[in-house]
Amino acid sequence: MAKQSGRQKAVVERVLHEFKQGTLESGSGAKVKSRRQAVAIGLSEAGASDRQTPAENRKRLRTTEARQAAGGETKASLYARARARNIPGRSRMSKAALIRALE
């Protein structure tokens, strides 16, 4: 296996931490119970998988880093939290406004 960059190591470390905490989910939304599957997800997100082309690996690393820079939560998950707390006007809020309203 090729050496991983520091950025890739950080992504794999975060994914394995999520696995240990029990919060890592697969693409279908089911909890990941296998360490082997967690490692595969980590390598895929880090763009270090030998099962993907180099172009796909670069794309996945960029996508993962962008998601981490944005705080990790999607607008849909923020909206669901706002709905659970019954925040008025949530349907017209931007992602940034949802973050502010939930704080």
Side-chain angles (χ1 to χ4, degrees):
M1 177 156 98
K3 283 192 159 190
Q4 294 179 358
S5 69
R7 293 168 30 201
Q8 290 172 327
K9 285 180 186 177
V11 171
V12 172
E13 184 178 309
R14 178 192 51 82
V15 170
L16 289 178
H17 180 74
E18 286 180 17
F19 169 68
K20 287 180 182 177
Q21 296 297 318
T23 59
L24 183 63
E25 296 179 348
S26 67
S28 66
K31 297 273 186 201
V32 174
K33 294 183 173 89
S34 164
R35 180 173 169 81
R36 189 173 181 176
Q37 184 181 7
V39 169
I41 291 170
L43 290 174
S44 178
E45 281 192 22
S49 174
D50 63 348
R51 304 284 180 180
Q52 297 161 349
T53 65
E56 285 177 286
N57 279 332
R58 285 189 301 273
K59 180 181 175 188
R60 287 186 189 269
L61 181 59
R62 273 195 320 268
T63 303
T64 300
E65 288 178 338
R67 190 176 338 117
Q68 285 179 341
E73 277 195 285
T74 62
K75 184 176 179 185
S77 66
L78 290 169
Y79 180 79
R81 286 179 42 205
R83 184 176 39 188
R85 290 177 46 186
N86 202 19
I87 295 175
R90 62 188 174 269
S91 63
R92 292 184 301 272
M93 289 183 184
S94 66
K95 183 175 180 180
L98 283 169
I99 291 171
R100 281 192 306 270
L102 287 167
E103 290 177 342

